[in-house]
Amino acid sequence: MIKMQGIRKIYRTEHVETHALDSFDLEVKSGEFISIMGPSGSGKTTLLNLIGLLDSFDRGSYVLDDEDVSTLSDRQMSRIRNLKIGFIFQTFNLIPDLNIFDNVDVPLRYRGMPAKERRVAIEEALATVGLASRKKHMPAQLSGGQQQRVAVARAFVGGPKLILADEPTGNLDSAMANDIMDLLEKINEQGTTVAMVTHDPDLAHRAPRQIHLLDGSLIDLETQDKPVPLINGVPVGLAKAGC
Amino acid sequence: MEFGPIFRALLNNRTRFWLIIVEVALTLAIVVNCTSIFLEKRRSFNSPTGMDVENILVINTEPFGEDFAVQDFVKDVGESDLARLRSRPSIINATPIHHIPLSGSGSSTGRKAAGSELDTVGISYFSVDEHGIETLGVELIDGRNFNQAEIGRRSDGGNEDMPRNVIVTKAFAERVFPDGNVVGSQISNGDDEYTATVIGVIDLMSNCWPRSSIGKHTMLQPSAAGDSREMNYLVRAEPGAIDTLYTELEELMISLETDRVVRVRTLSEIKLGYYSRTLMAMKIWAAVIVLMIIVTSLGIVGLTSFSVTQRTREIGTRRALGATRSAILRYFLIENWLITGIGLAIGTALTILLNYVLAEYAAAPKIDWILLVGGAAVLWAAGLLSALIPALRAITVTPEIATRSV
Ligand SMILES: Nc1ncnc2c1ncn2[C@@H]1O[C@H](COP(=O)(O)OP(=O)(O)OP(=O)(O)O)[C@@H](O)[C@H]1O
Ligand SMILES: [Mg+2]
């Protein structure tokens, strides 16, 4: 599903260059569920942005779903995001002026699906996340957990191959977080690849595969021969020099 | 298209847009009404006068010599002035006249069909000789001109001295003789003490007060040169000759008789003076119109910019969910289109209401619907152009904004 090789991402501001990712390799197979952990500033969001074609990188190659996406136009990237990827954000990012139904409708509108098909898909998605009765509600009228469930519905309503979630439970209490995790697992069971960034080790360990980022480099815990001791969630002795 | 959700989003966040809607509505109402008034004033200024205004010079003489106390001397001077003017090359004709058309000052009286029980109709009169019609450039459409025998001394008041034969404009004739048969008919003053015969009808001639309701009720009476110490002459120049004459005539008149002050003006100049307040008002209306449109456009730029800034994360999220740049651009333009549309719909009602009030209390003309449609089109275009600036900023929002922590 995802095959990244030698990826480098540098953020340049006027005076500072930040090497967010350097010589970065990652391979994720179709149908996998991975969790991404790492300390703040280690490049988790950056990685997710690159996987999701939200941002461009400076060097390396990236094949997504058997398609080389290293050099695509903005329009082509928009189209792939729309058709193949679903996003879930820490801050939910529902559109405050649209009701729940219209919010879930947003990605479908951008692919020009006929109204009838959209209606069926949206109602099914809302039923899956248990919010069928709230479709006329505005986001502000829902709790945080409910809003995030709407966002989950919006992410998978179009049947994407890949769902990317950046700290989807970061703003939720643990009961709601578990709800969201249940939903993600349910979606994954139907064959959708899921990549989730989280700071919560309990949630991370529910994913079959966990990867760890440290200063823009990867430690894949599943592929490690022996378990790496963690201090505050950081693998000991693997911090790379440099950068 | 995505009209549905854009419209619903508008309804759900009215506070963000009502200001633009109110602004557009008010602007339409004010701009259309101002334009209507402006056009009305311009129409009044440009309306035909029936005269060859561009080629007419007005000579005013004020004698100070003692000789001018003698009536016969005055008459001699008048006759020789006119003879000299008429014989000068590039002058078509010249006439004595006691009031100046289009000047804002003159004389008027009331006339009716003789014997009629109806009220008299207001009419402004000019005393000219048999050269008057050609000098003014007015068109005689019925009857005849004055002949030399009729050119007498101007009245000093008594009814016996009043002219027996007059020429009137069609506008007046149609008011007083609705059945036609004007030439040969008698007109009289209110108590039928004085009557005169209409010997001719001219098509059109604006009088001293062209803006007034009787501005085209004009009467020519026969009069000779030298009826009074202070004399006015009208001179009609051949096309293209007026500028030269304008500079030469003063000297010519002085050379004929030195003891007087001579002033030469063009009739156009006099007309401009009469309309100066109208022209000033036109400038003010035009400025109001342009300013209103500019202020509204700037308002739309400002409010849309604000809305784009406020919705940066929403734009980023939409981009992440698959919106192309052009979809974002389209979103903001459609949104603006809807907002302006609502504003224009309300504005149309407001325009008609304002026009009704202005018509009632300020005698404003009724608005032409084409003006309303045109005004709406201009504002719609101005609205779209104004929204384009912030909308082009909106498409520079990158999708990774969506994942940024606040
Ligand atoms: N838009 C940006 N401009 C400049 N530097 C950036 C930008 N985004 C991220 N960075 C830098 O890149 C590095 C990785 O940032 P990133 O947001 O990917 O970290 P993260 O692992 O998601 O952290 P957190 O857990 O706090 O969300 C950091 O040093 C950060 O300061
Ligand atoms: Mg992050």
Side-chain angles (χ1 to χ4, degrees):
Chain A
M1 188 72 207
I2 299 167
K3 196 169 181 182
M4 284 182 153
Q5 270 174 335
I7 295 284
R8 169 188 281 181
K9 173 67 183 174
I10 301 173
Y11 289 108
R12 291 187 178 85
T13 52
E14 265 177 70
H15 305 293
V16 198
E17 276 195 358
T18 310
H19 291 247
L21 292 175
D22 218 341
S23 318
F24 185 89
D25 300 332
L26 175 69
E27 195 164 346
V28 178
K29 294 195 183 61
S30 190
E32 269 196 278
F33 190 147
I34 65 168
S35 65
I36 303 166
M37 304 237 331
S40 185
S42 57
K44 304 182 297 293
T45 299
T46 305
L47 173 59
L48 222 55
N49 284 348
L50 296 189
I51 296 176
L53 304 182
L54 297 180
D55 209 348
S56 56
F57 45 88
D58 302 285
R59 186 188 285 178
S61 74
Y62 175 21
V63 175
L64 171 69
D65 192 27
D66 300 328
E67 186 181 355
D68 186 354
V69 293
S70 308
T71 50
L72 289 181
S73 71
D74 188 76
R75 175 172 286 274
Q76 289 167 317
M77 290 203 285
S78 301
R79 187 162 171 75
I80 292 178
R81 286 198 298 268
N82 184 237
L83 293 175
K84 295 191 178 173
I85 306 173
F87 291 94
I88 301 166
F89 309 97
Q90 178 176 359
T91 47
F92 321 142
N93 290 19
L94 297 181
I95 291 163
D97 300 336
L98 292 178
N99 68 23
I100 300 318
F101 184 94
D102 281 335
N103 259 289
V104 179
D105 196 15
V106 170
L108 302 185
R109 290 255 177 192
Y110 289 126
R111 58 173 83 169
M113 197 188 262
K116 229 179 176 169
E117 284 176 39
R118 283 191 279 118
R119 172 166 294 278
V120 172
I122 295 163
E123 280 174 355
E124 222 175 271
L126 283 175
T128 307
V129 300
L131 288 170
S133 60
R134 304 296 177 96
K135 61 183 182 188
K136 295 273 184 247
H137 283 60
M138 301 305 288
Q141 296 168 321
L142 301 185
S143 74
Q146 288 171 322
Q147 289 191 40
Q148 193 63 305
R149 268 145 66 194
V150 174
V152 172
R154 181 176 68 183
F156 76 77
V157 68
K161 295 197 164 166
L162 174 63
I163 285 197
L164 301 175
D166 191 0
E167 298 184 42
T169 60
N171 285 5
L172 302 177
D173 66 30
S174 60
M176 287 177 175
N178 275 314
D179 279 358
I180 297 297
M181 195 63 198
D182 291 345
L183 279 171
L184 289 176
E185 282 174 342
K186 202 160 141 189
I187 295 164
N188 176 243
E189 274 160 27
Q190 285 157 15
T192 310
T193 312
V194 177
M196 173 183 73
V197 170
T198 183
H199 280 298
D200 182 337
D202 292 339
L203 291 180
H205 285 107
R206 282 174 66 174
R209 177 180 167 200
Q210 298 131 36
I211 63 172
H212 242 277
L213 281 182
L214 199 61
D215 287 342
S217 294
L218 180 76
I219 305 126
D220 201 331
L221 293 189
E222 191 211 43
T223 55
Q224 290 288 318
D225 295 335
K226 48 184 179 175
V228 177
L230 297 179
I231 298 173
N232 293 333
V234 181
V236 173
L238 285 170
K240 276 195 177 175
C243 176
Chain B
M1 230 6 279
E2 48 220 303
F3 276 97
I6 297 178
F7 190 65
R8 290 196 288 279
L10 277 183
L11 292 183
N12 287 327
N13 200 337
R14 273 162 266 181
T15 46
R16 200 181 302 174
F17 307 109
W18 69 267
L19 213 58
I20 298 186
I21 291 175
V22 168
E23 205 177 9
V24 167
L26 281 177
T27 305
L28 182 72
I30 293 171
V31 162
V32 170
N33 276 286
C34 285
T35 309
S36 172
I37 293 170
F38 175 90
L39 290 179
E40 165 80 3
K41 293 198 178 298
R42 201 182 63 168
R43 212 174 300 126
S44 147
F45 179 75
N46 286 339
S47 74
T49 62
M51 294 173 281
D52 187 15
V53 177
E54 291 74 47
N55 292 312
I56 293 175
L57 285 164
V58 179
I59 303 170
N60 171 254
T61 65
E62 274 180 58
F64 48 80
E66 279 166 18
D67 291 342
F68 281 92
V70 182
Q71 187 75 66
D72 284 345
F73 178 80
V74 175
K75 200 158 174 53
D76 285 348
V77 170
E79 274 167 9
S80 72
D81 279 350
L82 281 164
R84 184 73 183 79
L85 285 170
R86 285 171 188 149
S87 64
R88 195 187 178 293
S90 75
I91 288 181
I92 293 175
N93 211 334
T95 182
I97 196 161
H98 67 291
H99 296 306
I100 311 302
L102 313 179
S103 68
S105 79
S107 300
S108 75
T109 181
R111 291 287 183 267
K112 62 185 179 68
S116 160
E117 295 297 311
L118 295 174
D119 283 341
T120 60
V121 173
I123 188 166
S124 162
Y125 54 93
F126 299 89
S127 299
V128 294
D129 66 13
E130 74 273 24
H131 300 277
I133 285 185
E134 193 187 13
T135 308
L136 288 162
V138 294
E139 187 190 356
L140 188 69
I141 54 169
D142 200 2
R144 63 169 177 86
N145 191 0
F146 301 121
N147 57 40
Q148 234 172 335
E150 284 160 343
I151 304 301
R153 181 150 293 203
R154 201 178 125 206
S155 148
D156 294 322
N159 281 342
E160 321 77 56
D161 291 340
M162 296 278 278
R164 293 294 146 205
N165 294 334
V166 297
I167 294 171
V168 298
T169 51
K170 193 170 82 180
F172 173 80
E174 281 171 352
R175 260 299 286 282
V176 174
F177 302 103
D179 309 332
N181 290 328
V182 186
V183 173
S185 300
Q186 303 279 310
I187 55 173
S188 69
N189 63 356
D191 48 18
D192 282 304
E193 279 169 5
Y194 154 74
T195 60
T197 306
V198 177
I199 61 158
V201 177
I202 50 180
D203 186 34
L204 173 68
M205 177 177 165
S206 293
N207 57 36
C208 302
W209 309 283
R211 272 190 318 221
S212 77
S213 59
I214 60 158
K216 294 189 157 95
H217 290 179
T218 309
M219 177 160 68
L220 299 181
Q221 301 181 340
S223 161
D227 279 347
S228 68
R229 277 166 48 93
E230 190 181 320
M231 280 180 283
N232 292 322
Y233 306 117
L234 288 191
V235 171
R236 183 173 174 201
E238 279 172 357
I242 191 161
D243 291 338
T244 329
L245 285 175
Y246 183 77
T247 53
E248 289 173 8
L249 280 186
E250 182 179 335
E251 217 170 309
L252 177 77
M253 300 305 282
I254 300 285
S255 75
L256 289 174
E257 174 54 53
T258 48
D259 291 350
R260 56 184 179 179
V261 177
V262 174
R263 185 148 79 116
V264 180
R265 284 171 298 168
T266 62
L267 189 55
S268 306
E269 208 175 304
I270 288 165
K271 182 183 172 187
L272 277 177
Y274 174 74
Y275 278 103
S276 64
R277 282 181 57 189
T278 305
L279 294 170
M280 181 50 93
M282 277 168 68
K283 279 182 196 151
I284 292 171
W285 289 122
V288 167
I289 292 164
V290 171
L291 268 178
M292 281 298 291
I293 293 175
I294 290 175
V295 166
T296 302
S297 301
L298 288 180
I300 293 175
V301 171
L303 287 165
T304 313
S305 293
F306 180 65
S307 149
V308 166
T309 307
Q310 251 191 345
R311 289 192 279 180
T312 305
R313 183 173 284 268
E314 173 184 334
I315 298 164
T317 305
R318 285 178 178 277
R319 295 280 282 122
L321 298 180
T324 54
R325 286 201 192 105
S326 52
I328 298 293
L329 183 67
R330 204 161 55 232
Y331 184 98
F332 279 94
L333 294 185
I334 290 176
E335 185 182 87
N336 168 270
W337 194 71
L338 286 170
I339 296 169
T340 317
I342 297 169
L344 291 177
I346 298 172
T348 300
L350 214 58
T351 306
I352 294 166
L353 191 75
L354 181 61
N355 181 232
Y356 179 81
V357 173
L358 287 176
E360 196 80 343
Y361 299 103
K366 201 167 159 288
I367 282 170
D368 192 342
W369 67 270
I370 292 177
L371 205 59
L372 187 56
V373 172
V378 166
L379 279 183
W380 214 322
L384 273 187
L385 279 180
S386 313
L388 196 60
I389 301 163
L392 286 173
R393 198 160 58 77
I395 68 171
T396 65
V397 173
T398 52
E400 48 90 23
I401 293 284
T403 55
R404 279 213 198 141
S405 34
V406 213

